[in-house]
């Protein structure tokens, strides 16, 4: 059964950004340039955090917004075909929750592939892979 | 070493100019952090500079491991201290290190003085000088943070550093605050920022850092992460935080109480780590890149004075040192009281540790009649009286009379003006940290590169010797402390959190650097630590610091530590040994 990444207990998030770093390491680099995950405060760190990850929509707006067919449906979520991408950012604008990230250096979108590496580095169980369904 | 790390962002506030300087020497040979910053300070700070003059530079630096390895999460700031007159060094967590490194800088050096209040906005490779006149004089540093959060970009990957009123008005122990709950606390960075008319610095970055050997890096990262999360090395910081020290120090009679007139409460204080966690802990936070999450926020719920069923909930971050200084040192009995004081100090942007010791001196000076209500402006300082201390904090930050202006320069200045030097608990002008464990702690305060309990951890050596029932001869203790302090210069050059000192031994550090393509071995790291320590000492000496003639507060010797009263002659012998080593006169290789 396919699994998607989910934010299962955001109250335990401590803003360590280890998830975002783990995501970036997939590309063989440190930093956050190509991280598909974002954490920000919910209006000051004392109020807790918002963790933004791709929800693997059944009918993804980012895919529909792409004028050149550079976003395709994957086993879970979508896949970006970088060769086709023209860097127009329509996908970024289309994602209501802001889960399509932008690689400024490469000028291409970065979208979560639901590999779960981030969850493995979350010390507090904020993230987990779960069976695909509604969500 | 990646090509972005050696970039030093230079900012001249006088001319509103900024430029980038490539300094591979500082980052290749000195790893960054303290090692790089002390060289920049030697270069940029003229001898005898007025610490509050435009000629005093501020250097922020991160290191080769920043934003790459777990717990390499601190930023170091170096400047000439307006509080001691020599080296100012302060470390801060939060997101500052992450933001600076991912913005593509190894260091940020700020010089000059702006004609009007400004804040720096550093995003996407650009530096903007923004008008801060509206923010200047604002009642609370928390409000300033809220405003900048709304008007600045970079949410989630930025740092918002700012000062409070105390920094604007030149209180020599004013702090700079990052992300509301982290601080560049000691030695007056806030006052130096204020003297430059610089209210805040916002930096964001989310760049990439190339890694030379990704396989090795990934493996090392995983191992360090596992050890940080699973092993006992970090457990105490994660669970109760440093507040867990309050109980054991109280029990062993090493917690300075009421200006070190005593060393324990009859029972465990209401603000011990366990009791705060049970009654107040509201949230835990981490610095960026750290899995430990040692930042503990208390939720302080207070009823509105007039409106029934209306409550104000304030979040207050607590650690051992603020609890000691604003709790024990002032004889506070209730947990809510010490939290309120920590909150008050944060609002105006004072260093919590220094503020507590200053208020403790004032209380004893009032008790002994050295000062009266004439000086205090009708205020009657009294042990444990939180309302009065909050009022005094406000007056110190506002510098609203001669007396409070003097208090705003620390206990050394206060004792010089009003007397009471025998109970003025300062070490080279810097107020006492919260461990009265014995000679090791006192030597650390006296000779430590930045007068912090964390310098050479003498408090830990004291406790170790007590457990073993051993004593060391003065030169042996001196050498043990210096060895630890030299080792810590490597950690602070990388800028690794000192809580992770057990995780990062020299072979581990060499391996971490190796995966980044930098060739270091244990011997080279050891030499660097010694060299950085000597360079820091040389800056202090250049600015008039002398170990041999350093006054030692009488109270620290007359109030017994757990192993008994500390002897001045013992301390002097150890200091003489330290001085020989620090000045390179002991015949040993550096």
């Amino acid at each position: 059964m396919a699994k998607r990444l989910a934010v299962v207990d955001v109250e335990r998030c401590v803003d360590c950004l280890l998830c975002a770093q783990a995501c970036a390491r997939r590309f063989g680099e440190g930093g956050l340039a190509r991280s598909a995950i974002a954490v920000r405060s919910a209006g000051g760190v004392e109020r807790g955090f918002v963790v933004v990850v791709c929800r693997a929509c059944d009918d993804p707006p980012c895919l529909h917004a792409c004028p050149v067919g550079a976003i395709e449906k994957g086993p879970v979520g979508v896949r970006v075909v970088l060769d086709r991408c023209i860097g127009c950012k329509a996908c970024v604008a289309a994602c209501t929750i802001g889960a399509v990230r932008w690689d400024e250096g490469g000028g291409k979108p970065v979208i979560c592939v639901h590999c779960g590496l981030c969850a493995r580095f979350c010390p507090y169980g904020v993230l987990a892979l779960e069976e695909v369904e509604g969500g | 070493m990646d090509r972005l790390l050696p970039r030093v962002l230079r900012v001249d506030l006088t001319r509103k100019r900024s430029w980038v300087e490539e300094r591979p020497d500082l980052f290749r040979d000195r790893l960054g952090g303290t090692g790089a910053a002390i060289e920049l300070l030697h270069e940029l700070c003229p001898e005898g500079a007025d610490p509050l003059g435009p000629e005093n530079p501020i250097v922020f630096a991160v290191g080769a491991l920043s934003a790459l390895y777990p717990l390499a999460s601190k930023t170091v700031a170096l400047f000439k201290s307006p509080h001691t007159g020599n080296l100012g060094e302060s470390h801060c967590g939060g997101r500052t290190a992450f933001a600076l490194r991912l913005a593509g800088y190894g260091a940020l050096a700020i010089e000059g003085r702006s004609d009007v209040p400004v804040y720096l906005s550093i995003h996407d490779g650009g530096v903007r000088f923004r008008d801060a006149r509206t923010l200047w004089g604002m009642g609370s540093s928390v409000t300033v943070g809220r405003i900048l959060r709304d008007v600045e970009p970079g949410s989630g990957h930025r740092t918002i550093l700012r000062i409070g009123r105390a920094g604007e008005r030149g209180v020599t122990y004013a702090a700079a605050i990052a992300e509301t709950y982290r601080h560049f606390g000691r030695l007056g960075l806030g006052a130096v920022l204020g003297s430059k008319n610089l209210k805040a610095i916002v930096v964001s970055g989310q760049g990439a850092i190339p890694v030379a050997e990704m396989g090795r890096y990934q493996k090392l990262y995983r191992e360090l992460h596992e050890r940080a999360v699973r092993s006992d090395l970090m457990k105490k910081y994660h669970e109760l935080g440093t507040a867990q020290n309050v109980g054991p120090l109280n029990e062993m009679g090493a917690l300075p109480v009421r200006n070190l007139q005593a060393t324990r409460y009859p029972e465990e204080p209401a603000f011990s780590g366990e009791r705060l966690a049970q009654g107040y802990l509201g949230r835990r936070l981490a610095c960026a890149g750290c899995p430990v999450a040692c930042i503990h926020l208390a939720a302080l719920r207070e009823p509105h004075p007039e409106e029934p069923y209306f409550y104000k909930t304030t979040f207050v971050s607590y650690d051992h040192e603020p609890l000691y200084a604003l709790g024990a040192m002032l004889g506070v009995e209730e947990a809510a009281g010490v939290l309120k004081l920590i909150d008050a100090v944060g609002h105006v942007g004072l260093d919590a540790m220094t503020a507590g010791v200053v208020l403790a001196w004032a209380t004893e000076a009032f008790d002994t009649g050295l000062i009266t209500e004439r000086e205090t402006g009708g205020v009657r300082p009294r042990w444990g009286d939180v309302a009065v201390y909050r009022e005094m904090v406000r007056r110190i930050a506002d510098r609203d009379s001669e007396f409070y202006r003097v208090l705003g320069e620390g206990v050394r200045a206060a004792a010089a003006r009003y007397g009471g030097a025998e109970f003025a608990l300062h070490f080279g002008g810097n107020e006492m940290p919260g461990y009265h464990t014995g000679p090791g702690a006192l030597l650390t305060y006296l000779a430590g590169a930045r007068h912090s309990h964390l310098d050479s951890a003498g408090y830990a050596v004291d406790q170790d010797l007590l457990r073993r029932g051993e004593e060391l001869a003065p030169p042996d203790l001196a050498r043990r402390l210096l060895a630890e302090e030299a080792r810590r210069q490597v950690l602070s050059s990388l800028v690794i959190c000192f809580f992770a000192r057990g995780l990062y031994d020299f072979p581990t550090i060499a391996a971490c650097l190796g995966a980044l393509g930098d060739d270091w071995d244990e011997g080279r790291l050891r030499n660097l630590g010694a060299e950085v320590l000597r360079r820091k000492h040389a800056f202090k000496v250049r600015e008039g610091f002398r170990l041999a003639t350093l006054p030692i507060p009488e109270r620290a010797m007359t109030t017994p530590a757990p192993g008994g009263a500390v002897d001045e002659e013992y301390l002097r012998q150890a200091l003489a040994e330290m001085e020989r080593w620090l000045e390179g006169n002991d015949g040993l290789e550096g």
Side-chain angles (χ1 to χ4, degrees):
Chain A
M1 177 69 90
K3 290 189 173 180
R4 69 157 197 178
L5 181 70
V7 182
V8 293
D9 189 357
V10 77
E11 284 307 314
R12 295 182 69 187
C13 179
V14 296
D15 195 28
C16 63
L17 298 178
L18 262 58
C19 54
Q21 280 184 293
C23 185
R25 285 199 300 274
R26 291 180 307 135
F27 296 97
E29 64 193 23
L32 296 178
R34 284 192 275 179
S35 175
I37 190 164
V39 183
R40 59 169 192 269
S41 78
V45 291
E46 66 276 13
R47 304 200 186 282
F49 299 93
V50 177
V51 181
V52 183
V53 298
C54 168
R55 295 194 68 243
C57 306
D58 282 339
D59 191 14
C62 56
L63 181 151
H64 292 298
C66 180
V68 294
I71 299 180
E72 296 177 343
K73 204 85 158 92
V76 180
V78 297
R79 294 288 179 273
V80 181
V81 185
L82 292 175
D83 291 348
R84 277 187 222 152
C85 173
I86 55 170
C88 70
K89 285 196 179 177
C91 51
V92 174
C95 181
T96 317
I97 61 169
V100 177
R101 313 276 303 156
W102 197 253
D103 169 16
E104 292 291 343
K108 307 280 181 187
V110 185
I111 304 177
C112 172
V113 294
H114 299 268
C115 69
L117 187 65
C118 53
R120 295 225 305 268
F121 283 94
C122 174
Y124 301 105
V126 176
L127 299 163
L129 283 178
E130 62 176 25
E131 306 279 308
V132 175
E133 219 182 326
Chain B
M1 185 174 67
D2 73 275
R3 65 185 168 76
L4 295 176
L5 184 65
R7 297 171 82 234
V8 178
L9 177 60
R10 302 275 303 267
V11 173
D12 179 349
L13 289 165
T14 309
R15 294 173 189 81
K16 308 283 188 299
R17 282 182 59 233
S18 70
W19 67 100
V20 172
E21 209 170 80
E22 299 285 342
R23 292 299 302 269
D25 53 323
L26 299 180
F27 292 86
R28 188 190 53 227
D29 302 337
R30 303 197 168 259
L31 299 174
T34 310
I38 188 63
E39 297 308 317
L40 285 167
L41 193 69
H42 272 286
E43 289 171 25
L44 301 176
C45 182
E47 191 171 341
D50 173 2
L52 298 180
E55 66 270 29
N56 188 18
I58 299 168
V59 182
F60 295 97
V62 297
L65 305 188
S66 301
L68 283 173
Y69 285 98
L71 285 125
S73 50
K74 295 263 186 173
T75 305
V76 65
L78 256 58
F79 46 95
K80 183 172 173 182
S81 167
H83 195 59
T84 61
N86 55 69
L87 180 63
E89 177 179 341
S90 189
H91 295 196
C92 183
R95 279 202 219 112
T96 313
F98 225 68
L100 267 176
R101 182 87 200 258
L102 298 190
Y105 305 111
L108 164 64
I110 301 172
E111 297 160 79
R113 168 188 283 155
S114 174
D115 49 349
V116 292
V118 291
Y119 76 89
L120 290 175
S121 174
I122 304 172
H123 308 281
D124 304 321
V127 177
R128 289 173 187 83
F129 299 82
R130 302 269 195 206
D131 200 314
R133 280 177 288 195
T134 311
L135 303 175
W136 203 258
M138 211 159 248
S140 166
S141 69
V142 177
T143 312
V144 174
R146 282 184 186 154
I147 291 166
L148 293 175
R149 204 164 63 217
D150 284 344
V151 301
E152 283 289 313
S155 173
H157 50 267
R158 67 183 171 199
T159 185
I160 304 179
L161 278 175
R162 68 270 193 181
I163 60 168
R165 289 208 310 279
E168 293 173 8
R169 295 174 192 206
V171 175
T172 61
Y173 48 95
I177 301 146
E179 284 68 85
T180 312
Y181 302 107
R182 294 292 91 190
H183 303 85
F184 284 101
R186 310 229 76 190
L187 297 162
L189 177 63
V192 183
L193 286 162
S195 74
K196 297 185 172 310
N197 264 330
L198 185 54
K199 180 69 182 176
I201 306 169
V202 188
V203 185
S204 76
Q206 49 180 341
I209 310 174
V211 173
E213 293 185 43
M214 200 58 192
R216 268 175 81 189
Y217 166 66
Q218 295 260 36
K219 183 169 177 287
L220 269 166
Y221 186 99
R222 271 198 306 276
E223 285 169 10
L224 285 162
H225 174 83
E226 277 300 301
R227 288 185 67 204
V229 173
R230 313 249 176 261
S231 79
D232 283 343
L233 280 172
M234 295 293 154
K235 199 164 175 255
K236 80 167 191 178
Y237 300 118
H238 171 65
E239 289 182 350
L240 292 176
T242 58
Q244 105 151 9
N245 294 339
V246 172
L249 286 171
N250 185 65
E251 203 165 303
M252 71 186 288
L255 182 69
V257 174
R258 294 188 301 280
N259 205 33
L260 197 57
Q261 291 176 3
T263 53
R264 58 159 60 93
Y265 284 75
E267 289 171 18
E268 184 178 283
F271 49 84
S272 69
E274 289 81 355
R275 295 178 70 181
L276 281 173
Q278 283 156 12
Y280 292 91
L281 182 56
R283 188 175 288 282
R284 275 193 311 211
L285 301 173
C287 297
C290 171
V292 176
C294 78
I295 307 166
H296 288 56
L297 299 190
L300 178 63
R301 185 168 171 261
E302 293 175 275
H304 192 278
E306 286 145 26
E307 177 97 20
Y309 302 112
F310 199 95
Y311 291 87
K312 176 176 87 159
T313 303
T314 314
F315 285 84
V316 184
S317 101
Y318 61 84
D319 291 290
H320 170 71
E321 291 295 349
L323 293 169
Y324 136 73
L326 296 166
M329 204 60 167
L330 299 177
V332 176
E333 302 282 346
E334 15 121 40
V338 63
L339 293 174
K340 283 180 199 173
L341 265 175
I342 294 173
D343 189 47
V345 158
H347 273 233
V348 297
L350 285 173
D351 174 40
M353 292 167 70
T354 311
V357 179
V358 165
L359 292 172
W361 173 88
T363 310
E364 188 160 348
F366 191 82
D367 278 353
T368 51
L370 289 174
I371 55 169
T372 65
E373 284 186 64
R374 200 174 55 235
E375 285 81 20
T376 64
V379 166
R380 299 179 62 82
R382 191 166 57 97
W383 301 119
D385 192 335
V386 170
V388 164
Y389 290 136
R390 283 174 88 174
E391 171 63 14
M392 293 176 79
V393 163
R394 186 189 67 74
R395 292 191 189 209
I396 289 170
D398 286 345
R399 313 202 80 176
D400 78 354
S401 71
E402 166 69 7
F403 175 68
Y404 291 102
R405 267 196 298 281
V406 174
L407 284 194
E409 289 170 7
V411 297
R412 180 165 65 180
R417 173 78 173 74
Y418 300 102
E422 66 281 11
F423 57 81
L425 285 158
H426 75 86
F427 295 79
N430 201 24
E431 283 68 8
M432 183 180 188
Y435 299 80
H436 188 53
T437 49
L442 298 181
L443 286 168
T444 293
Y445 308 155
L446 286 162
R450 58 194 176 106
H451 307 297
S452 156
H453 61 290
L454 282 170
D455 279 330
S456 52
Y459 68 96
V461 176
D462 289 333
Q463 291 177 70
D464 181 46
L465 293 173
L466 277 170
R467 262 192 303 273
R468 295 161 185 265
E470 284 175 22
E471 278 179 32
L472 289 179
D476 296 332
L477 180 57
R479 281 193 291 272
R480 184 161 162 184
L481 292 174
L482 282 168
E484 179 59 22
E485 180 137 348
R487 182 173 88 87
R488 289 181 183 214
Q489 303 314 309
V490 177
L491 296 177
S492 69
S493 295
L494 288 165
V495 200
I496 291 168
C497 175
F498 284 169
F499 293 167
R501 58 190 178 269
L503 212 56
Y504 283 98
D505 53 21
F506 280 171
T508 304
I509 290 172
C512 288
L513 289 164
L516 304 179
D518 297 336
D519 186 23
W520 285 78
D521 60 26
E522 218 172 317
R524 194 173 162 213
L525 288 169
R526 199 174 304 287
N527 285 344
L528 176 70
E531 174 63 14
V532 173
L533 185 51
R534 285 181 171 155
R535 289 291 284 159
K536 282 161 71 167
H537 183 72
F539 183 86
K540 290 169 74 168
V541 169
R542 193 194 90 173
E543 299 301 326
F545 177 82
R546 295 290 174 273
L547 257 181
T549 52
L550 205 55
I552 304 174
E554 205 180 306
R555 173 65 51 78
M557 287 173 292
T558 51
T559 297
V566 179
D567 174 38
E568 177 165 359
E569 184 47 34
Y570 180 98
L571 296 179
R572 292 277 172 217
Q573 285 178 26
L575 287 175
E577 179 71 12
M578 285 175 153
E579 190 161 48
R580 270 196 295 280
W581 189 91
L582 286 166
E583 296 184 2
N585 296 329
D586 65 344
L588 291 174
E589 263 318 286

